[in-house]
């Protein structure tokens, strides 16, 4: 398995057996796993809805309104990828919005 990070962080790797052992032996890990699973599900549902029902311009504006720090922290190439568009499309969207 390969993970490429665009930001510094720590990774803890647990195989499925180790994770289930933690769940079975610790109330706190069991609760933590449930909370994380709920957050992953909700984030996935939100992202799927955005990709299906919002235009690329709407997704860009929403990101700009809700996560403005992304634009200082990440390259436009990575932002375009997150929005599900090409860097060229992102450039066109930015140009159109700057004219308004």
């Amino acid at each position: 398995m390969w993970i490429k990070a665009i930001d510094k962080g720590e990774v803890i790797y647990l195989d499925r057996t180790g994770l289930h052992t933690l769940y079975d032996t610790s109330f706190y890990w069991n609760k933590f796993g449930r909370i994380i699973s709920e957050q992953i599900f909700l984030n996935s549902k939100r992202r799927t809805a955005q990709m299906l029902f919002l235009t690329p311009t709407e997704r860009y504006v929403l990101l700009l309104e809700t996560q403005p720090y992304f634009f200082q922290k990440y390259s436009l190439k990575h932002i375009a990828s997150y929005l599900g568009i090409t860097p060229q499309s992102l450039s066109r969207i930015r140009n159109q919005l700057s004219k308004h």
Side-chain angles (χ1 to χ4, degrees):
M1 172 171 42
W2 290 89
I3 297 172
K4 184 176 181 182
I6 59 173
D7 207 354
K8 288 187 177 191
E10 284 187 41
V11 175
I12 298 173
Y13 176 79
L14 286 172
D15 63 14
R16 188 175 180 91
T17 304
L19 183 61
H20 284 277
T21 299
L22 283 174
Y23 289 164
D24 292 339
T25 59
S26 170
F27 168 78
Y28 298 103
W29 275 102
N30 192 301
K31 186 175 180 181
F32 176 77
R34 182 181 52 79
I35 291 168
I36 294 299
S37 294
E38 289 171 359
Q39 289 301 310
I40 290 169
F41 172 76
L42 292 173
N43 287 339
S44 177
K45 184 178 174 185
R46 178 186 50 79
R47 285 280 296 147
T48 300
Q50 288 175 358
M51 297 302 276
L52 288 173
F53 302 117
L54 298 180
T55 66
T57 301
E58 291 169 332
R59 291 194 303 267
Y60 172 78
V61 170
L62 182 63
L63 183 64
L64 195 57
E65 291 172 350
T66 60
Q67 310 289 336
Y69 67 91
F70 271 31
F71 295 89
Q72 284 82 42
K73 196 169 187 179
Y74 303 112
S75 72
L76 292 177
K77 174 183 144 188
H78 289 116
I79 290 171
S81 176
Y82 178 78
L83 294 171
I85 59 178
T86 65
Q88 294 82 4
S89 294
L90 178 57
S91 179
R92 279 192 294 275
I93 290 168
R94 289 167 51 93
N95 285 334
Q96 288 171 353
L97 291 175
S98 70
K99 291 177 183 176
H100 291 102

